[in-house]
Amino acid sequence: MTPLHIETLGQGPDLVLLHGWAMHSGIWGSVRDELAQRFRVHMVDLPGHGLSPASEPGTLDHLVGMVAGMLPERCMLGGWSLGGQVAMELAVREPQRVDKLALIATTPCFAKRDDWEWGMERKLLQLFLENLKLNYATTINRFLTLQMSGDRDASKILSQLRKSFFQRGEPDPDALEKGLRILQHSDLRERIVTIKQPVLIVHGENDVITHPAAADWMHRQLPQSQQVMFAHCGHAPFLSYPEQFVAHLNAFRTNS
């Protein structure tokens, strides 16, 4: 199995962070140093993103297996957006290794369904998939802009996102396509109700990619969960509220 690129720093309990679709582990740059004062932080590049080579077949099950192969013996696992779905599944499969879970601006089901109104329109996800092949740069720019919709510092955070995105070259096009297909088709609602670990749910109240109501739903389903909802915040709460984000993870480490 091709190894994943992992950047590790700090001392303390192990904290593994998984980024979202099209991004890489450099996205944690605004919080990594502060987190490293309390944790041993492992920032993972998912397959085909950042410095990790692409790996077949690129399904959610495959991503979960790849990350499972590098998890510490015991850790807190944090996942943002698509990375949050990987984290949910790992918490179910590896309860002896994942002892706490931080779900950051994520959802068990990204796409809207007949019995799930808090997802993105499936045709919008399909449009992203089609446009990705036609005009990669424009499609990525639209996605980054969408992430910051409704944020109090949208222009500032969008600039950070764009700068971070290109720090490690372009993601593998095939990995991007497979990631979008995961977003289109994954539905972990029945899976997450089996999560027994303490869970911290961190979300932005103006998130248009993962609806805040999805976070509320998870909070109701997970018996050991606590929820933090940031005001005037889009899809990247750790960029919009870095100090508060770190404080909540620190408190979760010691109090849950």
Side-chain angles (χ1 to χ4, degrees), residues 225-244:
S225 66
Q226 50 188 286
Q227 185 181 31
V228 177
M229 188 69 69
F230 285 120
H232 313 296
C233 180
H235 189 55
F238 55 93
L239 294 181
S240 303
Y241 291 87
E243 293 178 4
Q244 295 93 326

Side-chain angles (χ1 to χ4, degrees), residues 5-238:
H5 175 80
I6 305 166
E7 186 177 353
T8 300
L9 72 158
Q11 298 294 326
D14 288 297
L15 169 64
V16 178
L17 294 174
L18 306 176
H19 61 79
W21 179 79
M23 302 306 298
H24 54 73
S25 58
I27 195 65
W28 306 107
S30 63
V31 296
R32 49 172 273 175
D33 291 341
E34 289 297 319
L35 287 172
Q37 294 182 22
R38 301 287 185 90
F39 296 94
R40 186 168 185 247
V41 185
H42 309 269
M43 294 166 290
V44 182
D45 281 345
L46 294 174
H49 295 70
L51 301 178
S52 288
S55 180
E56 294 295 337
T59 59
L60 180 60
D61 186 66
H62 174 69
L63 297 186
V64 170
M66 293 284 288
V67 178
M70 51 67 54
L71 280 181
E73 187 173 332
R74 294 189 68 80
C75 69
M76 180 193 300
L77 179 60
W80 172 46
S81 199
L82 173 61
Q85 288 206 334
V86 177
M88 292 176 209
E89 187 65 26
L90 280 165
V92 174
R93 295 191 197 183
E94 304 281 346
Q96 72 284 4
R97 298 165 75 188
V98 178
D99 55 14
K100 293 181 181 180
L101 185 63
L103 299 178
I104 306 155
T106 191
T107 172
C109 187
F110 277 90
K112 186 175 288 188
R113 297 168 185 264
D114 290 341
D115 61 346
W116 182 253
E117 61 181 303
W118 305 310
M120 295 181 72
E121 293 289 347
R122 299 178 76 87
K123 61 184 178 183
L124 180 59
L125 287 168
Q126 182 61 33
L127 193 61
F128 268 114
L129 187 60
E130 294 168 1
N131 287 343
L132 196 63
K133 300 175 182 179
L134 298 173
N135 194 324
Y136 167 87
T138 299
T139 303
I140 291 297
N141 249 321
R142 286 176 180 165
F143 182 72
L144 297 181
T145 301
L146 191 62
Q147 291 189 54
M148 291 302 102
S149 177
D151 199 279
R152 60 174 186 169
D153 293 319
S155 58
K156 175 185 173 184
I157 307 302
L158 182 57
S159 177
Q160 278 183 259
L161 262 180
R162 286 175 175 154
K163 181 179 178 182
S164 176
F165 181 82
F166 292 107
Q167 279 179 342
R168 299 186 180 178
E170 296 181 357
D172 179 81
D174 193 49
L176 288 181
E177 183 176 335
K178 288 181 169 63
L180 273 179
R181 293 196 185 282
I182 292 173
L183 299 185
Q184 279 183 306
H185 301 295
S186 62
D187 184 354
L188 302 181
R189 285 177 290 170
E190 292 184 3
R191 298 286 286 166
I192 73 162
V193 297
T194 65
I195 293 174
K196 305 302 182 188
Q197 299 95 319
V199 180
L200 176 66
I201 299 169
V202 182
H203 221 90
E205 69 173 12
N206 294 333
D207 193 333
V208 299
I209 293 179
T210 54
H211 198 288
D216 294 337
W217 183 89
M218 290 192 295
H219 185 36
R220 293 193 299 271
Q221 307 304 312
L222 295 165
Q224 291 201 71
S225 66
Q226 50 188 286
Q227 185 181 31
V228 177
M229 188 69 69
F230 285 120
H232 313 296
C233 180
H235 189 55
F238 55 93

